[in-house]
Amino acid sequence: MKLLKTFESRMSDVFGEAPQGFAAPFSLKKLARHTVREMESETFVVDGVDTAPALFTLLVSPTDDTALRPLYSKLTKEIVSFVEAQAKAKGYVFVGKPLARFMVDPSLRSGRFAVFAENVDARTLTRLRDEEEAFLSSSLGLGGAAAAPRDGEGASGTEGAVAGGAW
């Protein structure tokens, strides 16, 4: 529970920097809990080691994307820190530093979200991290919330997306 309290405190700090009157469109505590549940459900034993998924795709509505976009860099950093702490407490390892990214799902209503945790290889994780960093720095507009899932692809544009629940 201490990890969740720390996460909530950090999220308060992030939203404290947002424009006055801005509020999260959904419970970030629920988002954190759901992300950890997805991590746990997609953790597999590989060569005797509990290997957790390192890619977390957070789907949001177009309206919520517009509201949250200025905070994505800080939000994803805090979500990754929370996931890493939870994994460490459970003895899980990752193939690389975890990556959390937001994407738009036009079928979601405002205030709803979905989370997908995926096991990807280190090379794919590095490529997706580069795309996300480019998106967040606005140098390319690839990845992140700008890249809605394409027909026939998983939430991240990679094969094998694991269905997460919508909130």
Side-chain angles (χ1 to χ4, degrees):
M1 274 308 191
K2 185 178 188 300
L3 294 174
L4 194 54
K5 291 273 187 216
T6 302
F7 176 78
E8 285 181 295
S9 173
R10 289 181 165 183
M11 286 292 102
S12 288
D13 292 346
V14 169
F15 280 92
E17 296 172 15
Q20 184 142 353
F22 182 81
F26 45 76
S27 168
L28 295 171
K29 186 175 178 178
K30 282 184 181 179
L31 176 69
R33 277 196 240 145
H34 195 70
T35 302
V36 168
R37 275 197 307 268
E38 283 294 307
M39 175 183 70
E40 290 171 349
S41 72
E42 292 304 311
T43 295
F44 298 104
V45 177
V46 178
D47 295 329
V49 178
D50 288 330
T51 306
L55 177 62
F56 298 88
T57 303
L58 311 147
L59 301 177
V60 296
S61 73
T63 302
D64 294 344
D65 171 63
T66 301
L68 291 171
R69 189 176 290 236
L71 302 174
Y72 280 162
S73 182
K74 291 177 182 179
L75 290 172
T76 56
K77 179 182 175 189
E78 295 303 333
I79 290 166
V80 165
S81 293
F82 182 68
V83 166
E84 287 175 320
Q86 290 287 341
K88 182 178 179 182
K90 294 182 179 286
Y92 299 164
V93 298
F94 299 101
V95 296
K97 180 156 179 71
L99 171 63
R101 66 204 182 136
F102 284 87
M103 295 178 80
V104 173
D105 181 344
S107 70
L108 289 174
R109 293 177 310 185
S110 181
R112 309 283 283 180
F113 64 85
V115 177
F116 295 88
E118 297 178 70
N119 290 288
V120 296
D121 61 76
R123 190 171 73 190
T124 300
L125 189 62
T126 298
R127 179 182 55 80
L128 293 172
R129 182 179 319 287
D130 291 345
E131 288 178 5
E132 189 65 15
E133 287 173 3
F135 166 73
L136 291 174
S137 69
S138 298
S139 65
L140 282 180
L142 296 173
R150 292 180 290 245
D151 290 339
E153 291 188 351
S156 67
T158 61
E159 294 300 316
V162 178
W167 291 91

